[in-house]
Amino acid sequence: MKNRLKVLRAERDWTQAQLAEALGVSRQTINAIEKGKFDPSLPLAFKAARLFSLSIEDIFQEEPEE
């Protein structure tokens, strides 16, 4: 799953640790999501959407299947 988490975080000048604290997860989780190695749970996606005042679709995009 592609996402804009790193861009949105950088626009606010937040560290991964600061974003992780705001979302109630570990910094490693944020790192894995930003690198596309981990897809967030639906509750976490909703939390991120509320934090950034965006829709889930504005942050996370499904990659087309091959």
Side-chain angles (χ1 to χ4, degrees), residues 5 13 18 37-38 53 62:
L5 214 52
D13 203 30
Q18 289 169 317
K37 295 179 185 227
F38 178 76
S53 299
E62 192 174 19

Side-chain angles (χ1 to χ4, degrees), residues 29-47:
T29 297
I30 298 300
N31 187 18
I33 293 171
E34 286 183 357
K35 291 184 175 198
K37 295 179 185 227
F38 178 76
D39 291 337
S41 65
L42 198 51
L44 181 54
F46 272 110
K47 214 173 196 183

Side-chain angles (χ1 to χ4, degrees), residues 2 8-9 12 25 27 29-31 33 38 41-42 45 47 53-54 56 58-59 61 64:
K2 294 180 358 183
L8 294 168
R9 178 176 62 76
R12 288 154 181 81
V25 298
R27 184 199 59 76
T29 297
I30 298 300
N31 187 18
I33 293 171
F38 178 76
S41 65
L42 198 51
K47 214 173 196 183
S53 299
L54 296 169
I56 290 175
D58 287 336
I59 302 173
Q61 299 86 36

